[in-house]
Amino acid sequence: MSSPTCAALLVIAACVVLQALGLSLQLRPNNGRACLQQHHQELVCLAWTPTVETPARDG
């Protein structure tokens, strides 16, 4: 089984488990947050500093 196939199966399994537990994962890459929620209440959040891409400079 190839790596992309394994990754896809892991994602599907994780989604099924989250649904069974009544949880949802909210990704907000624009403000650098990912939150695990249950009934619209945030249980756990991860935050990161969004990367700022700068155009390549000649040099």
Side-chain angles (χ1 to χ4, degrees):
M1 196 179 306
S2 66
S3 292
T5 303
C6 288
L9 289 174
L10 285 174
V11 168
I12 291 168
C15 289
V16 169
V17 170
L18 287 174
Q19 288 292 322
L21 296 174
L23 300 171
S24 64
L25 181 63
Q26 301 292 321
L27 297 175
R28 299 182 187 110
N30 57 340
N31 65 359
R33 285 178 59 113
C35 295
L36 187 63
Q37 296 181 339
Q38 185 175 37
H39 305 297
H40 301 290
Q41 288 186 325
E42 294 178 348
L43 301 175
V44 177
C45 287
L46 295 174
W48 63 89
T49 305
T51 57
V52 177
E53 292 186 21
T54 57
R57 294 182 358 195
D58 292 333

